[in-house]
């Protein structure tokens, strides 16, 4: 699939400007993160999820990334290509690969020290061509956005797209390789069917077992919308990938200016893997379990309202059926203890169980936004509380836009654990307080 | 009194009653007539003013500049499309500049408003409470932006109160507009001033909570085809030191550039 995507890019980049209007735009980001820790010790960033500070956290961390968009088209055809450049932390995967080989490990540390622990990463976020047939039919092929749902922080009815970060929900996410057909009957009804291709990372060529199917139907009438999603995974080895057959639905209604929305999904099996353990020779060995036979459900209910002053508030309750129970979170903790103690590294697939904002089962989210246009400022305050794991995240931020193409964001993230021994996000995070300054330039 | 006299008396009474009834009718007619004439007159005035202003399939490119405390803050470039069909009004505004807003778009179909966010390409339908608020930090609300093409007072009942109001040396009709019965609007009252000579919109005062919160002025009228259009509109706030100026760079009525499929959520997905 990578070859096909690259072919689309080459074709578009060199040929389409001759036939259609094209443009290039994007954004450059420079982020500075500071982690206030009040006991300034040598191992101040070490933690259960950051053994020997393998995540390479410093007092002051810099990161840069760029998103470049090359787009174009006319009435009949359009194309989108988004390239994302960033830094990638190579410490953990290199250490994991060299585990047990002291000579290899020594080379790895040389690489880490010379590179600063990261390398440049190039990603293709979008690469698609769309054909508009008449006024009603759109056919699109390539890497495209499939995110759906009304929720601000979570979208449980999103069955196809990668899950967004609930702490930065407005951030772009890498698209999905798909062939989609969308039919629009005015603004009343839309219907789409999609064939998604999601192979294991290393393989080339196409195997039909990796093809998945999705569909969506949406009805829009004044002040009311409802949609239905479906997802089917043709997979002979059920459960090998992380996507499962599912249906989802969402609705939004406007009552007296208040937007009330909800969405949910029923899944045959969970997309998550769950930490568990085996006892081997009296030893606790962590394992990962894939649960494919049970029915899971998740749902979200939200309200939003904008006051006359411009003050906007959003509140959501999210039940994450695929989240971890207390027992699961304790297994995760025990697994990390095992890896830290006996192996001095943590496998990537175990680390990836830690998903802040989707770790536990129940969340309440509140977002308050107030624009102060007179001073080119806007204030935002987000709070996320996990009802079942007693974890609280507070995220105030201020955005200053002195010019039309430049913005500075001051953001503070605090992770708090309101109850001990619940193994929530705050418990595992190596840093509990993060101050970020983000510089963004749009071109 | 003799019976004949009584009959005459009764007949006289009847005649008197009839005369009174007719007189009352005539008097009522002349009392109502000014209202009828005025109602017809205000409708005529508005129609004449709107004829120059509004139309169908309108395409325009505007520079929208925000001034804060007298200083230029930001200039945005917008491409606008308007269509009226089947009794419904459709409007689409697409931001072309500055960079952080390029690709942001608003689609309004009657009371429904969708926003396309340029950063993610996602489309979201806004709750109706959001529509009364400032569009991109300007002195125009989303609803104000959606009224382009229909005229600024299309959703109000009107009453002519004066025909000799002086505005900047220009004799104007002063028309009071209040929301149509049963309809909720952003403003409790508008005071509209239309020149008596050319029937141009000169200014509109917007009222909320009995206070004049902002004023929209029209100027630089130019002929375009059979219409005369104000190429400059300035919305000035009276509650904060800001004003927003719209300069029309390009406008076409009955434009072939306005296509029905633009007023569709599917089109929002492909905006660049």
């Amino acid at each position: 699939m990578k070859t096909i995507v690259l072919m689309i890019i080459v074709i578009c980049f060199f040929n389409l400007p001759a036939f259609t209007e094209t443009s290039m735009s994007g954004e450059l980001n420079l982020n500075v993160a500071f982690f206030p820790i009040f006991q300034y010790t040598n191992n101040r960033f070490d933690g259960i999820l950051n053994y020997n500070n393998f995540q390479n956290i410093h007092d002051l961390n810099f990161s840069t990334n760029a998103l470049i968009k090359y787009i174009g088209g006319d009435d009949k055809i359009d194309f989108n290509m988004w390239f994302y450049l960033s830094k990638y932390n190579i410490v953990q995967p290199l250490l994991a690969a060299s585990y047990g080989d002291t000579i290899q490990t020594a080379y790895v540390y040389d690489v880490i020290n010379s590179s600063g622990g990261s390398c440049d990463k190039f990603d293709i976020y979008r690469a698609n061509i769309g054909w508009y047939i008449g006024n009603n039919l759109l056919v699109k092929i390539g890497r495209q956005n499939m995110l759906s749902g009304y929720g601000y922080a979570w979208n449980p009815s999103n069955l196809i797209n990668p899950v967004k970060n609930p702490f930065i929900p407005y951030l772009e996410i890498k698209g999905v390789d798909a062939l989609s057909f969308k039919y629009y009957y005015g603004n009343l009804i839309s219907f789409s069917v999609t064939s998604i291709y999601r192979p294991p990372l290393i393989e080339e060529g196409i195997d039909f077992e990796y093809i998945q199917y999705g569909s969506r139907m949406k009805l829009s009438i004044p002040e009311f919308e409802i949609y239905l999603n479906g997802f089917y995974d043709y997979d002979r080895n059920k459960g090998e990938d992380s996507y499962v057959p599912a249906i989802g639905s969402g609705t939004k209604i406007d009552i007296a200016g208040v937007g009330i929305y909800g969405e949910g999904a029923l899944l045959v099996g969970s997309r998550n893997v769950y930490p568990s353990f085996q006892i081997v020779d009296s030893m606790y060995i962590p394992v990962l379990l894939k649960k494919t036979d049970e029915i899971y459900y998740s749902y979200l209910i939200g309200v939003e309202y904008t006051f006359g002053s411009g003050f906007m508030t959003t509140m959501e309750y999210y039940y994450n059926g695929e989240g971890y129970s207390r027992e699961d979170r304790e297994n995760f903790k025990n697994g990390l203890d095992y890896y830290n103690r006996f192996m001095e590294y943590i496998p990537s697939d175990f680390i990836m169980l830690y998903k802040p904002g989707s770790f536990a089962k129940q969340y309440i989210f509140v977002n308050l936004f107030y624009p102060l246009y007179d001073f080119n400022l806007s204030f935002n305050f987000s709070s996320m509380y996990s009802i079942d794991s007693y974890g609280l995240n507070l995220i105030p931020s201020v955005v200053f836009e002195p010019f039309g193409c430049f913005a500075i964001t001051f953001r503070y993230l605090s992770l708090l654990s309101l109850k001990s021994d619940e193994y929530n996000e705050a418990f595992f995070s190596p840093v509990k307080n993060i101050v970020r300054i983000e510089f963004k330039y749009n071109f | 009194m003799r019976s004949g006299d009584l009959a005459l008396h009764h007949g006289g009474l009847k005649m008197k009653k009839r005369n009174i009834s007719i007189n009352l009718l005539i008097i009522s007619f002349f009392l109502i007539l000014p209202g009828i004439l005025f109602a017809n007159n205000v409708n005529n005035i508005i129609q004449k003013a709107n004829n120059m202003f509004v139309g169908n399939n309108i395409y325009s490119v505007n520079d929208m500049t925000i001034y804060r405390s007298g200083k230029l803050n930001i200039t945005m470039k917008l491409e606008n499309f308007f269509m009226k069909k089947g009794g419904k009004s459709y409007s689409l505004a697409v931001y072309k500049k500055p960079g952080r807003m390029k690709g942001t778009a608003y689609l309004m179909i009657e009371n429904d408003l969708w926003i396309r966010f340029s950063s993610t390409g996602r489309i979201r339908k806004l709750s109706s409470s959001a529509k009364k608020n400032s569009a991109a930090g300007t002195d125009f609300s989303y609803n104000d932006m959606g009224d382009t093409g229909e005229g600024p007072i299309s959703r109000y009942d009107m009453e002519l109160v004066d025909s000799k109001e002086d505005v900047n040396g220009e004799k104007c009709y002063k028309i009071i507009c209040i929301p149509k019965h049963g309809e909720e609007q952003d403003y409790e009252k508008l005071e509209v001033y239309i020149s008596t000579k050319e029937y141009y919109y000169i200014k509109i005062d917007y009222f909320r909570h009995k206070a004049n919160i902002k004023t929209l002025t029209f100027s630089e009228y130019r002929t375009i085809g059979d219409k005369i259009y104000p190429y400059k509109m300035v919305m000035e706030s009276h509650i904060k030191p800001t004003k927003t100026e719209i300069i029309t760079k390009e406008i076409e009525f009955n434009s072939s550039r306005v296509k029905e499929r633009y007023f569709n959520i599917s089109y929002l997905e492909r905006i660049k």
Side-chain angles (χ1 to χ4, degrees):
Chain A
M1 191 63 185
K2 284 182 189 171
T3 310
I4 294 174
V5 169
L6 283 170
M7 280 171 59
I8 291 173
I9 292 167
V10 168
I11 290 169
C12 293
F13 202 87
F14 290 106
N15 292 290
L16 282 172
F19 302 99
T20 65
E21 183 188 329
T22 63
S23 69
M24 189 169 284
S25 62
E27 61 184 58
L28 306 173
N29 293 290
L30 165 66
N31 304 312
V32 181
F34 166 59
F35 307 104
I37 287 186
F38 299 105
Q39 284 180 320
Y40 195 85
T41 58
N42 284 341
N43 57 351
R44 57 193 176 281
F45 296 122
D46 287 1
I48 190 171
L49 205 55
N50 190 30
Y51 183 76
N52 274 348
N53 193 18
F54 77 85
Q55 292 191 34
N56 222 14
I57 299 174
H58 303 281
D59 293 324
L60 212 58
N61 289 260
F62 298 92
S63 65
T64 55
N65 59 69
L67 180 68
I68 299 166
K69 302 178 185 178
Y70 182 58
I71 55 179
D74 56 24
D75 281 355
K76 297 292 181 196
I77 191 170
D78 70 17
F79 68 91
N80 291 278
M81 278 184 286
W82 295 12
F83 307 109
Y84 186 74
L85 298 124
S86 63
K87 288 286 187 184
Y88 178 68
N89 188 329
I90 58 171
V91 173
Q92 172 68 2
L94 286 178
L95 286 176
S98 67
Y99 177 75
D101 184 331
T102 49
I103 297 174
Q104 187 76 2
T105 303
Y107 284 125
V108 161
Y109 275 111
D110 282 343
V111 169
I112 291 169
N113 289 331
S114 62
S115 68
S118 64
C119 63
D120 295 319
K121 181 180 161 194
F122 173 79
D123 235 329
I124 300 169
Y125 270 27
R126 305 277 188 277
N128 59 72
I129 299 176
W131 288 274
Y132 296 87
I133 301 166
N135 285 339
N136 304 97
L137 183 62
L138 164 64
V139 180
K140 192 179 272 193
I141 185 170
R143 189 160 296 173
Q144 53 193 285
N145 176 34
M146 289 275 170
L147 188 63
S148 65
Y150 297 118
Y152 181 81
W154 305 277
N155 297 119
S157 68
N158 170 40
L159 307 177
I160 299 175
N161 221 60
V163 175
K164 66 186 182 187
N165 184 337
F167 293 100
I168 324 172
Y170 48 82
L171 212 60
E172 294 86 352
I173 309 172
K174 191 172 173 179
V176 170
D177 298 337
L179 169 64
S180 63
F181 297 83
K182 288 185 188 178
Y183 178 80
Y184 298 90
Y185 183 70
N187 283 315
L188 182 63
I189 296 174
S190 65
F191 179 70
S192 66
V193 287
T194 306
S195 170
I196 306 120
Y197 186 63
R198 229 185 308 249
L201 293 174
I202 301 172
E203 293 187 16
E204 289 289 348
I206 297 176
D207 287 328
F208 293 131
E209 65 180 306
Y210 298 129
I211 294 179
Q212 302 162 339
Y213 301 94
S215 68
R216 178 178 157 107
M217 189 162 74
K218 187 172 173 182
L219 171 71
S220 290
I221 57 178
E223 299 174 4
F224 177 73
E225 279 190 356
I226 187 165
Y227 66 83
L228 199 62
N229 287 349
F231 183 81
Y232 178 70
D233 182 5
Y234 174 72
D235 188 349
R236 288 176 299 168
N237 300 308
K238 189 172 81 170
E240 275 209 358
D241 56 50
S242 61
Y243 288 83
V244 297
I247 57 170
S249 183
T251 187
K252 185 170 183 182
I253 192 167
D254 196 305
I255 298 176
V258 179
I260 303 168
Y261 51 91
E263 53 179 284
L266 267 179
L267 306 102
V268 180
S270 173
R271 292 169 292 187
N272 274 349
V273 287
Y274 292 80
S276 187
F277 62 92
Q278 291 175 342
I279 304 293
V280 177
D281 295 334
S282 303
M283 284 277 290
Y284 173 104
I285 307 293
V287 295
L288 294 176
L289 288 184
K290 181 75 177 165
K291 298 182 182 179
T292 58
D293 293 326
E294 298 167 38
I295 300 291
Y296 288 81
Y297 67 92
S298 298
Y299 64 89
L300 174 141
I301 302 167
V303 292
E304 61 181 11
Y305 186 77
T306 306
F307 293 86
S309 60
F311 179 72
M312 182 176 172
T313 175
T314 305
M315 287 182 280
E316 294 180 349
Y317 167 77
Y318 174 46
Y319 177 78
N320 178 19
E322 297 169 276
Y324 296 138
S325 62
R326 191 191 174 284
E327 182 186 345
D328 295 327
R329 298 194 303 271
E330 188 172 7
N331 287 341
F332 181 60
K333 182 255 180 196
N334 292 336
L336 291 174
D337 284 338
Y338 169 84
Y339 286 117
N340 288 332
R341 185 177 170 196
F342 295 108
M343 304 185 74
E344 296 185 357
Y345 87 96
I346 308 167
S348 299
D349 55 356
F350 205 80
I351 290 179
M352 287 179 67
L353 301 186
Y354 179 66
K355 292 174 192 149
S358 302
F359 196 53
K361 282 192 177 289
Q362 295 187 72
Y363 290 90
I364 289 178
F365 173 79
V366 175
N367 190 73
L368 307 172
F369 173 80
Y370 182 68
L372 208 59
Y373 294 118
D374 294 348
F375 300 99
N376 297 321
L377 288 172
S378 60
F379 299 93
N380 197 82
F381 177 80
S382 295
S383 170
M384 190 182 295
Y385 176 62
S386 170
I387 300 171
D388 56 318
S389 71
Y390 302 93
L392 176 65
N393 304 306
L394 302 172
I395 314 167
S397 62
V398 178
V399 181
F400 177 52
E401 293 168 312
F403 317 114
C405 54
F406 186 68
I408 306 172
T409 303
F410 300 88
R411 196 187 310 276
Y412 172 68
L413 169 62
S414 174
L415 292 94
L416 303 163
S417 188
L418 302 188
K419 196 174 175 186
S420 57
D421 297 333
E422 289 296 327
Y423 311 117
N424 49 40
E425 284 102 328
F427 174 85
F428 292 104
S429 178
V431 291
K432 308 286 187 273
N433 298 284
I434 305 169
V435 177
R436 271 173 70 103
I437 305 174
E438 302 163 8
F439 301 89
K440 177 185 281 194
Y441 174 74
N442 288 93
F443 59 92
Chain B
M1 191 182 281
R2 290 174 297 184
S3 60
D5 290 337
L6 195 58
L8 273 173
H9 181 68
H10 277 297
L13 277 173
K14 276 186 185 172
M15 184 70 111
K16 205 172 181 180
K17 275 187 184 171
R18 206 185 312 160
N19 284 341
I20 290 170
S21 301
I22 290 171
N23 287 337
L24 273 174
L25 270 173
I26 292 169
I27 290 166
S28 303
F29 176 72
F30 278 105
L31 282 173
I32 297 169
L33 180 61
I36 295 172
L37 285 175
F38 265 18
N40 284 337
N41 203 12
V42 75
N43 287 333
N44 286 339
I45 293 167
I46 296 298
Q47 193 173 8
K48 281 182 182 174
N50 283 351
N51 274 344
M52 297 181 187
F53 199 105
V54 305
N56 202 1
N57 288 22
I58 303 173
Y59 169 81
S60 67
V61 175
N62 304 313
D63 280 350
M64 189 181 250
T65 303
I66 302 174
Y67 294 86
R68 302 202 198 282
S69 300
K71 294 179 190 171
L72 189 150
N73 183 263
I74 186 172
T75 297
M76 297 174 278
K77 184 174 179 179
L78 284 95
E79 198 175 24
N80 299 289
F81 303 83
F82 175 83
M83 178 182 81
K84 197 165 173 81
K85 187 178 177 186
K88 279 188 182 176
S89 60
Y90 302 78
S91 68
L92 172 68
V94 182
Y95 285 82
K96 297 296 190 184
K97 283 181 183 175
R100 66 174 169 85
M101 298 214 49
K102 186 178 181 220
T104 299
Y106 306 122
L107 171 65
M108 272 191 76
I109 301 174
E110 290 293 293
N111 290 326
D112 290 330
L113 170 65
W114 289 265
I115 286 188
R116 179 192 183 273
F117 296 98
S118 58
S119 57
T120 58
R122 287 201 69 188
I123 296 162
R124 189 172 178 87
K125 187 174 179 183
L126 288 193
S127 55
S128 56
S129 56
K131 293 186 295 182
K132 296 178 189 174
N133 287 290
S134 164
T138 68
D139 295 290
F140 291 87
S141 67
Y142 291 108
N143 276 331
D144 292 338
M145 304 276 285
D147 282 340
T148 58
E150 278 202 292
I153 57 174
S154 57
R155 301 169 196 263
Y156 294 82
D157 283 331
M158 299 161 285
E159 180 189 345
L160 178 66
V161 296
D162 196 345
S163 60
K164 291 175 187 169
E165 187 79 19
D166 190 288
V167 177
N168 299 330
E170 185 98 40
K171 285 278 182 290
C172 293
Y173 294 109
K174 179 179 174 179
I175 297 167
I176 302 292
C177 304
I178 55 175
K180 289 185 192 282
H181 179 67
E183 282 192 30
E184 194 183 323
Q185 299 296 339
D186 297 352
Y187 311 104
E188 64 188 29
K189 184 177 78 167
L190 308 182
E191 287 182 1
V192 181
Y193 298 84
I194 295 173
S195 67
T196 56
K197 203 174 170 186
E198 293 103 350
Y199 294 90
Y200 293 166
Y201 278 96
I202 301 299
K203 73 168 183 172
I204 300 176
D205 290 326
Y206 296 80
F207 287 78
R208 196 182 280 156
H209 304 305
K210 293 186 168 57
N212 180 7
I213 59 167
K214 59 187 185 182
T215 298
L216 177 62
T217 55
F218 305 80
S219 61
E220 294 187 21
Y221 277 89
R222 295 182 215 168
T223 303
I224 173 162
D226 61 346
K227 296 198 181 288
I228 302 171
Y229 189 83
Y231 272 59
K232 182 175 178 179
M233 286 184 266
V234 180
M235 183 74 88
E236 184 167 0
S237 170
H238 300 308
I239 54 178
K240 48 185 181 170
T242 60
K243 68 175 181 181
T244 305
E245 182 182 87
I246 297 181
I247 303 288
T248 300
K249 294 295 192 185
E250 188 182 344
I251 186 164
E252 291 176 12
F253 292 88
N254 300 312
S255 174
S256 58
R257 288 201 251 195
V258 177
K259 300 188 196 306
E260 192 172 336
R261 60 188 170 81
Y262 289 176
F263 308 99
N264 198 308
I265 298 165
S266 64
Y267 185 74
L268 281 183
E269 292 183 11
R270 46 185 304 206
I271 283 175
K272 300 162 191 47

